[in-house]
Amino acid sequence: MGNCSGHDFSIPPGKGPHHVGCTDLMVGHTVEGTFFRLYYPCQLSERSENPDWVPTKEYFNGLADFMKINRRLSERIFNYLFGSCKIPATWNAAFKPNTKHPVVIFSHGLGAFRTLYSAICVELASQGFIVASVEHRDESASATFYFKEKSTPEALKTGEPEFPLRNKQVKQRADECIRALDILFTVNSGNMVENVLKTPFDWSTLENSMDLCRIAVMGHSFGGATVIECLCKEVRFKCGIALDTWMFPLDEVIFPQVKQPIFFINSEKFQWAGNIFRMKKLDSATIPRKMITIRGAVHQSFPDFTFLTGNCLGKIFKLQGNVDPHLAMDLSNRASLAFLQRHLSLERDFNQWDQLIDGKDNHLIPGTNITLNQIKDLENSLYIDF
């Protein structure tokens, strides 16, 4: 896999004690069904296969359409850069049934899909979590697939206000995350689910494997907004981690209904006053609400793209910031693990990173780097994701 720096790049493997497996589950043939990539602690196997990072060329085409570039040209570029890239997890590996695992539901950003945050999901699984990375069917993914035709996708018309569409999408996204959680409850209880993809993974091995009193929701950008919507709608989520959240899709009327702890992890280069102002509206005197900012990080420091392009293309396409991408990801993941231990009451050693929750590191800013002045104008300050 080449790029303009002439070196090979890859998604970092998990740093935890567990080997990681992954598989796909699709329940239902239509767009109303559920589709996610599951990451989990697995048994070590002599014969192993790592799945492609981008599942099929249709996802490349979707990315091209989302970026408004020519499909034929982009397919060559994407194949050259990413065509041989693999996810550092064993495809359909046997589950490792040794204890009950906490659960994380992950929501991707606008224009992304279920595999683009594998560095985060693999790290969580290597640390003992079962992670379901949902592929959203609200037209916010760059591509997805299902088995029946549907009606013409909704799209913004010129001059049409954006909020009604985005708010409808974030509600659908939350419903999709909750449906994924419902399916995990079904699997954990030992009941059968029909996977229309017919993968060889044995879902019955997950019976009684999940600690369903310890569930979190996590997401990036539009997925961060989905985290807030999920916390409002579903009390089974005990806490949420919102990565560089795009707050615009949310109706502020739901904010008082969110009773769970929230951790905002932001990049230094993406956020702006109006967006931070809306995050601060979720502050509470009684419910833990934390915020840190990663110095030198950009919005794309959270998806896997940041590892796969090198400094040259990374800077041109704003996929990398001024901080080493591995360092930025480690800070985000370790702070997340510490937060999850604290609010899911886990008996792990993630509290060794407790100081990161408060931004106590040379590469972190406690709270935000954004100055919140000119309050009247803040709520009208918008920014479009990606």
Side-chain angles (χ1 to χ4, degrees):
M1 176 173 47
N3 62 29
C4 65
S5 63
H7 296 287
D8 290 339
F9 297 90
S10 60
I11 299 164
K15 294 179 169 61
H18 300 281
H19 297 285
V20 178
C22 65
T23 190
D24 282 340
L25 177 66
M26 184 186 291
V27 177
H29 290 75
T30 70
V31 71
E32 287 78 23
T34 301
F35 190 20
F36 58 79
R37 169 71 50 95
L38 192 78
Y39 299 84
Y40 52 89
C42 75
Q43 300 177 34
L44 185 60
S45 172
E46 290 183 5
R47 299 179 65 185
S48 64
E49 174 192 357
N50 297 113
D52 291 336
W53 179 54
V54 176
T56 66
K57 72 173 185 178
E58 284 77 16
Y59 286 91
F60 282 143
N61 291 337
L63 284 170
D65 292 346
F66 181 78
M67 298 168 69
K68 296 181 172 57
I69 58 179
N70 179 269
R71 279 191 175 192
R72 184 175 297 180
L73 174 62
S74 66
E75 189 172 340
R76 291 182 180 179
I77 295 172
F78 290 152
N79 272 326
Y80 174 68
L81 291 174
F82 311 125
S84 62
C85 180
K86 303 289 185 179
I87 290 175
T90 304
W91 185 237
N92 291 315
F95 175 68
K96 182 182 177 182
N98 60 346
T99 185
K100 284 196 170 187
H101 300 276
V103 172
V104 173
I105 305 294
F106 192 93
S107 174
H108 64 70
L110 185 63
F113 40 91
R114 71 189 185 283
T115 66
L116 291 195
Y117 296 85
S118 64
I120 294 172
C121 296
V122 166
E123 175 61 16
L124 290 173
S126 80
Q127 300 288 358
F129 291 80
I130 289 176
V131 185
S133 180
V134 175
E135 185 158 292
H136 292 296
R137 267 78 175 280
D138 63 332
E139 307 297 341
S140 68
S142 60
T144 189
F145 66 93
Y146 37 85
F147 288 88
K148 288 186 179 178
E149 292 299 321
K150 61 171 287 193
S151 57
T152 304
E154 290 189 74
L156 280 174
K157 300 184 177 79
T158 304
E160 184 179 12
E162 185 173 7
F163 177 76
L165 172 61
R166 299 307 186 195
N167 185 246
K168 180 180 179 182
Q169 287 177 317
V170 79
K171 291 177 186 296
Q172 178 178 332
R173 286 166 143 262
D175 290 342
E176 289 169 340
C177 289
I178 293 166
R179 284 204 299 271
L181 183 59
D182 290 339
I183 287 169
L184 293 184
F185 267 74
T186 300
V187 169
N188 192 67
S189 69
N191 293 320
M192 185 178 241
V193 294
E194 183 183 359
N195 186 2
V196 300
L197 299 178
K198 307 297 183 186
T199 62
F201 180 73
D202 184 359
W203 287 87
S204 69
T205 60
L206 291 173
E207 181 178 355
N208 205 32
S209 66
M210 299 173 229
D211 188 342
L212 297 178
C213 293
R214 293 178 167 88
I215 304 168
V217 60
M218 187 174 187
H220 173 242
S221 197
F222 206 165
T226 307
V227 166
I228 310 301
E229 190 74 33
C230 282
L231 294 175
C232 170
K233 287 188 166 189
E234 181 52 72
V235 297
R236 289 178 294 177
F237 292 120
K238 302 305 181 187
C239 63
I241 299 175
L243 307 173
D244 231 12
T245 299
W246 183 42
M247 297 292 291
F248 174 74
L250 294 166
D251 188 340
E252 291 180 13
V253 71
I254 73 167
F255 290 2
Q257 301 168 44
V258 180
K259 306 299 184 183
Q260 303 95 317
I262 303 171
F263 191 14
F264 291 105
I265 303 178
N266 295 332
S267 70
E268 183 179 11
K269 304 298 184 183
F270 174 73
Q271 292 298 334
W272 67 101
N275 207 50
I276 295 292
F277 183 65
R278 298 195 80 204
M279 290 182 197
K280 300 295 282 182
K281 287 190 172 187
L282 282 155
D283 282 354
S284 169
T286 57
I287 304 167
R289 301 284 159 80
K290 292 289 188 177
M291 182 187 297
I292 61 173
T293 300
I294 303 174
R295 293 185 188 274
V298 296
H299 197 48
Q300 299 303 325
S301 293
F302 299 94
D304 298 334
F305 281 113
T306 192
F307 300 110
L308 302 177
T309 52
N311 288 332
C312 178
L313 285 179
K315 295 290 170 53
I316 292 171
F317 292 105
K318 297 182 179 179
L319 302 175
Q320 289 186 10
N322 297 324
V323 62
D324 178 87
H326 292 84
L327 174 60
M329 184 62 71
D330 284 348
L331 287 168
S332 179
N333 284 339
R334 289 171 179 174
S336 297
L337 288 166
F339 186 83
L340 290 170
Q341 171 157 326
R342 181 179 295 183
H343 296 292
L344 297 182
S345 301
L346 303 175
E347 295 182 3
R348 308 290 177 85
D349 63 351
F350 306 149
N351 58 346
Q352 65 182 297
W353 300 308
D354 271 355
Q355 73 278 7
L356 301 181
I357 299 174
D358 296 314
K360 294 178 180 178
D361 185 274
N362 290 337
H363 297 280
L364 296 177
I365 300 168
T368 180
N369 58 308
I370 302 297
T371 302
L372 298 181
N373 52 17
Q374 298 178 329
I375 297 294
K376 323 180 182 177
D377 300 327
L378 292 181
E379 290 182 283
N380 298 320
S381 174
L382 304 178
Y383 191 96
I384 302 305
D385 194 1
F386 257 70

